[in-house]
């Protein structure tokens, strides 16, 4: 299996990173989705996203630009792009760009299943730390053309 993953070459490899963590992440995703239901896997990767969010203190921030600067510093460190916030009348809209669309060794293509609940979990945890109530929910609307759109609201 490792040999297949190392030799695997999908059509587009320009976004690959050449590190073992990508391969490890891909193998974890394959294992989780191979043994858990979709709901269990989403819950697991949502919890991973909340754990990622716990790396940052955000409760002391009251300015959207400062919040995004702190969050984007983490995303850039991980090589996962960056995001912008937009406030609407009933929600906070997040436009996350630059998240890798593939991982080296992701033979089963599970990164596309793992990334949305991880980001949803992270953003949900940050907004809850800022005082978001239980009636607010975070959902991934779409991930297309390199942009993941996320909504936090009722």
């Amino acid at each position: 299996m490792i040999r297949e993953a190392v030799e695997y070459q999908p059509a587009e490899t320009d976004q690959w990173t050449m590190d073992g963590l990508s391969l490890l992440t891909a193998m974890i995703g394959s294992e989780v989705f191979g043994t858990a239901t979709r709901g269990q896997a989403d819950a697991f990767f949502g919890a991973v996203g909340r754990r990622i969010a716990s790396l940052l203190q955000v409760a002391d921030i009251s300015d959207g630009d400062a919040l995004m600067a702190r969050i984007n510093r983490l995303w850039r460190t991980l090589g996962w792009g960056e995001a912008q916030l937009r406030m609407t009348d009933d929600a906070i809209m997040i436009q996350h760009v630059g998240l890798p669309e593939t991982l080296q060794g992701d033979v089963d293509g599970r990164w596309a299943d793992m990334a949305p609940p991880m980001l949803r979990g992270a953003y949900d945890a940050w907004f809850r730390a800022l005082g978001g109530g239980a009636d607010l929910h975070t959902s991934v609307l779409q991930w297309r053309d390199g942009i993941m759109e996320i909504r936090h609201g009722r």
Side-chain angles (χ1 to χ4, degrees):
M1 181 188 236
I2 292 174
R3 183 182 186 90
E4 292 168 351
V6 171
E7 293 175 357
Y8 178 69
Q9 294 284 327
E12 295 185 32
T13 59
D14 60 327
Q15 294 184 15
W16 279 15
T17 59
M18 301 302 285
D19 66 63
L21 291 178
S22 292
L23 178 60
L24 178 63
T25 302
M27 296 299 105
I28 290 170
S30 292
E31 184 62 25
V32 168
F33 279 96
T35 58
T37 67
R38 179 61 187 242
Q40 291 168 331
D42 282 352
F44 173 80
F45 288 109
V48 171
R50 288 188 297 280
R51 185 155 311 253
I52 290 169
S54 73
L55 296 171
L56 295 180
Q57 296 265 351
V58 297
D60 62 327
I61 300 175
S62 59
D63 175 71
D65 290 336
L67 173 66
M68 290 318 302
R70 191 170 294 173
I71 289 172
N72 282 333
R73 192 168 38 248
L74 173 64
W75 292 142
R76 284 190 295 272
T77 299
L78 294 174
W80 286 12
E82 60 184 34
Q84 296 178 349
L85 293 181
R86 181 174 51 87
M87 306 296 187
T88 68
D89 289 339
D90 62 346
I92 300 170
M93 303 300 296
I94 303 109
Q95 193 172 56
H96 193 108
V97 299
L99 184 68
E101 293 185 33
T102 60
L103 290 181
Q104 182 177 12
D106 188 10
V107 177
D108 296 333
R110 290 303 185 175
W111 176 244
D113 296 323
M114 297 162 55
M118 278 196 286
L119 266 65
R120 184 191 69 235
Y123 285 110
D124 188 71
W126 286 321
F127 293 131
R128 291 198 188 286
L130 292 168
D135 61 330
L136 302 177
H137 304 281
T138 306
S139 56
V140 174
L141 302 178
Q142 68 179 357
W143 185 12
R144 184 175 56 207
D145 300 327
I147 300 171
M148 186 178 293
E149 293 183 14
I150 303 166
R151 181 182 188 280
H152 179 78
R154 286 182 174 43

